[in-house]
């Protein structure tokens, strides 16, 4: 294998010293050295500007332009070269200053100091190369970061446009829906003439579809408000036990028609949390609603645990459960577990989660397929 060629610049006014170092390098088998020798700082700078050196050994004590001055010029002219300063005996005290000015190392001119030169060159070049590599990587990281920031800003703008679009469309859907519902109501009540039983039956179907559509429109509107940061919480101190009881009660008839019980496990005392009444009710409706909807036998348990600084709510059911690989996804928009053929859009859980997070709470689910699910959330007091 051919050896790597290293171009070395020796800046030394004493020809004997230069020759000693040159000879020592010829004996070193690690590299193939190409040595250039100049005798003054001016010459050194000129040579460095016109050639690329792998390393410069710079005598600190030069008659005219001294080591420190040459270092400053190298920096000013942006010459990329690692410098080892060769200092005289007793010059060690300036070493720290030399390093500060950009020299990578220094070598005192002691007896046989030339023997240390090959190692010093190897070490300094390795250090310089890793410095260059670090600088290159840092530059690349900065560039990538800038690119990412630009892309991110663009995506956020697109996302905002999408949210605005959805919000506008959904908002526009509300008015005609209200009109359709109102008119249908009038027909149903006989204001437009007698309604036959068959017509009433068909209208019943239409009402059901319309109320589904209204719910979807309201859910989408809620989500777009949350996503654009426009959902505001009207927080008040309220008893979460009472709120849970009120919501559970509204599901009693539906649960009874499916022969499921709604079990309450509440603390005997009230548990006061700071929350938005309507929004927290919506959270309970979504969780209890899901539990009753997806469960066909057994019970739905609504449990409240009074903890230090927060209230923990658990909605547990004996329904089909949720496959493990789906438990994270169900909190995303429009995600529904395919096997559950129940009515719905897949917006209830993402809304509930967003509302909980807005209250600085947390939510998670524990589930075992075939056995049931337990949705757990906490709301700070
Ligand atoms: N208690 C539960 N038991 C079993 N699966 C559940 C339960 N709660 C939610 N899931 C699963 O998570 C999915 C998402 O629930 P989510 O409430 O977001 O939507 P949905 O109830 O299908 O529709 P929507 O709430 O918009 O009417 C459900 O479709 C169902 O597959
Ligand atoms: Mg739901």
């Amino acid at each position: 294998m051919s050896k790597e060629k290293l171009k070395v610049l020796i800046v030394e006014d004493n020809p004997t010293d230069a020759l000693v170092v040159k000879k020592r390098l010829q004996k070193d088998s690690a590299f193939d050295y190409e040595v250039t020798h100049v005798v003054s700082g001016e010459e050194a700078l000129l040579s460095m500007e016109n050639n690329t050196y792998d390393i410069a050994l710079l005598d600190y004590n030069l008659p005219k332009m001294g080591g420190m001055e040459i270092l400053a010029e190298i920096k000013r002219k942006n010459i990329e070269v690692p410098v080892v300063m060769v200092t005289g005996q007793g010059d060690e005290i300036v070493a720290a200053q030399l390093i500060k000015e950009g020299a990578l190392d220094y070598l005192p001119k002691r007896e046989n100091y030339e023997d240390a030169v090959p190692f010093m060159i190897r070490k300094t070049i390795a250090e310089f190369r890793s410095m260059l590599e670090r600088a290159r990587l840092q530059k690349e990281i900065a560039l990538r970061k800038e690119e990412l920031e630009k892309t991110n800003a663009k995506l956020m703008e697109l996302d905002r446009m999408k949210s605005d679009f959805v919000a506008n469309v959904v908002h526009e859907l509300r008015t005609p829906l209200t009109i359709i519902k109102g008119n249908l109501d009038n027909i149903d009540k006989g204001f437009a003439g007698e309604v036959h039983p068959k017509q009433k039956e068909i209208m019943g179907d239409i009402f059901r579809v319309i109320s589904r559509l209204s719910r979807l429109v309201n859910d989408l509107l809620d989500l777009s408000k949350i996503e654009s940061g426009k959902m505001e919480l009207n927080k008040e101190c309220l008893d979460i036990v009472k709120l849970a009881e009120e919501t559970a009660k509204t599901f009693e008839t539906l649960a009874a028609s499916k022969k499921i019980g709604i079990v309450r496990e509440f603390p005997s005392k009230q548990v006061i949390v700071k929350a938005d009444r309507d929004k927290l009710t919506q959270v309970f409706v979504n969780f209890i609603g899901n539990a009753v909807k997806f469960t066909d036998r057994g019970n739905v348990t609504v449990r409240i645990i009074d903890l230090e600084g927060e209230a923990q709510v658990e909605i547990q059911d004996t329904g089909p459960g949720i496959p493990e690989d789906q438990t994270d996804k169900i909190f995303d928009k429009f995600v529904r577990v395919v096997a559950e053929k129940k009515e719905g859009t897949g917006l209830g859980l993402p809304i509930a989660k967003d509302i909980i997070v807005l209250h600085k709470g947390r939510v998670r689910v524990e589930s075992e397929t075939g056995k049931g699910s337990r949705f757990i959330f906490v709301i700070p007091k």
Side-chain angles (χ1 to χ4, degrees), residues 26-146:
Q26 274 166 359
K27 277 201 280 173
D28 183 56
S29 55
F31 292 103
D32 183 5
Y33 297 96
E34 184 189 310
V35 179
T36 306
H37 170 216
V38 295
V39 294
S40 70
E42 292 82 351
E43 259 185 286
L45 286 167
L46 199 69
S47 186
M48 281 192 262
E49 277 178 293
N50 295 311
N51 299 279
T52 314
Y53 290 105
D54 293 298
I55 190 154
L57 300 177
L58 216 69
D59 188 6
Y60 175 65
N61 294 306
L62 289 171
K64 271 169 76 189
M65 190 186 243
M68 204 70 91
E69 223 177 310
I70 305 174
L71 273 182
E73 278 301 290
I74 289 177
K75 207 195 255 175
R76 197 178 63 79
K77 294 186 161 155
N78 271 329
I79 299 170
E80 267 196 1
V81 66
V83 172
V84 172
M85 197 64 80
V86 181
T87 56
Q89 294 271 19
D91 281 340
E92 286 90 335
I93 18 169
V94 292
Q97 183 65 19
L98 289 169
I99 305 275
K100 212 169 132 210
E101 288 304 316
L104 279 190
D105 213 334
Y106 71 100
L107 189 62
K109 245 188 215 179
R110 291 197 190 95
E111 183 84 14
N112 298 331
Y113 80 98
E114 69 275 11
D115 286 336
V117 171
F119 171 75
M120 182 57 100
I121 289 181
R122 262 199 294 285
K123 185 202 94 156
T124 308
I125 288 180
E127 201 177 311
F128 185 68
R129 285 180 182 167
S130 78
M131 254 166 62
L132 285 184
E133 181 61 10
R134 249 195 332 264
R136 191 188 65 76
L137 283 175
Q138 265 163 6
K139 223 166 155 181
E140 200 172 308
I141 289 170
L143 215 73
R144 288 276 155 82
K145 195 170 155 233
E146 201 179 314

